Amino acid sequence: MQKQGLWMVAVISIFTAPFFFASCKKEVSSAVNFKYDKELVPSMHTDSVRVLISDSGLIKYKMITKTWDVFDEAKDPYWFFPKGLYLERFDTAFTVVFTIKADTVWNYTRRKLWRLKGNVFARNIVGETFTGDEFFWNQQEQKIYSDKLVEVTRPEKGILVARNGMVANQQMTAYEFMEVGENAGKKTLIYVNEDEENKEEKAE
């Protein structure tokens, strides 16, 4: 009887084992079938970032952010900074020539286009500050622009308001306000380079 019982256990084990392994295989298969959306899931996620970025062997930028998501496999590859970004730009002597920060930032790496949204603040080398809700920085065209209201604070010279946006070089040392004066289409050009600091020109 004991031998017969052992034989019955062996038979049951043989017949139930395939079902057990089939069940395990099904679970593994369903886990592998996870769909990875390159547009929604970052290929890299990093917290508490403080990094120096070089270009052509020279350190050009310092970047500080709480969260950095990289979508380099998206159709339009980009970096995303959902919790804000602080960025400094250096010259060859490692002097800070430009500072900018915002609540939310996108950097479309292939197009070299930055979009800065929410409480944008920028400062140029002569201490002028620029504030607004949204700015774009086109590194290929080497310009920064906005089509929204921008407030410019000039040390010892007062505050200027560009109600319809502005365009500037990427150091923000030369800029123009859009559609000023009584007639649409007029622009005010302002140059604040060190060798032309006192030069201001109005153009229609």
Side-chain angles (χ1 to χ4, degrees):
M1 289 294 291
Q2 185 176 4
K3 290 183 179 180
Q4 186 177 2
L6 292 173
W7 180 81
M8 289 295 292
V9 170
V11 171
I12 293 171
S13 299
I14 291 171
F15 279 95
T16 57
F19 295 100
F20 173 76
F21 287 114
S23 176
C24 291
K25 185 177 180 181
K26 185 176 181 180
E27 290 180 5
V28 172
S29 177
S30 62
V32 173
N33 286 334
F34 170 74
K35 188 176 181 180
Y36 170 61
D37 191 333
K38 299 176 181 179
E39 303 295 325
L40 300 176
V41 181
S43 56
M44 184 189 80
H45 171 85
T46 309
D47 290 323
S48 301
V49 178
R50 190 183 188 96
V51 64
L52 297 174
I53 301 174
S54 62
D55 184 11
S56 301
L58 297 174
I59 295 176
K60 292 290 186 68
Y61 304 98
K62 179 170 74 173
M63 188 174 71
I64 301 175
T65 183
K66 291 182 179 179
T67 302
W68 180 15
D69 290 331
V70 176
F71 295 81
D72 59 358
E73 296 184 11
K75 291 181 180 179
D76 189 3
Y78 67 99
W79 299 350
F80 182 44
F81 306 91
K83 296 183 179 180
L85 175 70
Y86 173 85
L87 187 74
E88 290 180 351
R89 187 172 186 270
F90 307 107
D91 62 11
T92 54
F94 209 62
T95 301
V96 177
V97 296
F98 174 67
T99 301
I100 195 165
K101 62 180 181 178
D103 290 343
T104 309
V105 178
W106 298 257
N107 174 22
Y108 297 94
T109 54
R110 183 178 296 163
R111 293 186 284 157
K112 294 186 176 181
L113 177 66
W114 294 75
R115 179 192 176 196
L116 303 105
K117 178 73 175 175
N119 296 309
V120 184
F121 173 89
R123 181 189 292 113
N124 63 20
I125 195 171
V126 296
E128 293 183 323
T129 61
F130 305 77
T131 57
D133 181 63
E134 184 177 40
F135 283 78
F136 291 89
W137 178 9
N138 190 319
Q139 290 179 293
Q140 287 186 326
E141 298 180 4
Q142 298 186 1
K143 67 180 183 180
I144 296 174
Y145 57 91
S146 175
D147 60 1
K148 303 182 184 302
L149 186 147
V150 178
E151 187 174 282
V152 183
T153 302
R154 310 175 72 194
E156 301 179 359
K157 295 182 180 180
I159 298 175
L160 299 175
V161 178
R163 299 188 181 279
N164 298 293
M166 61 172 289
V167 179
N169 62 1
Q170 63 180 358
Q171 292 81 23
M172 299 193 87
T173 54
Y175 48 90
E176 63 181 18
F177 294 170
M178 311 304 296
E179 296 184 8
V180 299
E182 296 179 357
N183 300 320
K186 287 187 177 181
K187 301 177 182 180
T188 297
L189 306 182
I190 301 178
Y191 301 89
V192 292
N193 293 306
E194 292 182 356
D195 57 344
E196 298 182 274
E197 191 171 342
N198 297 319
K199 178 182 177 182
E200 295 186 7
E201 177 182 344
K202 289 186 178 181
E204 295 186 4

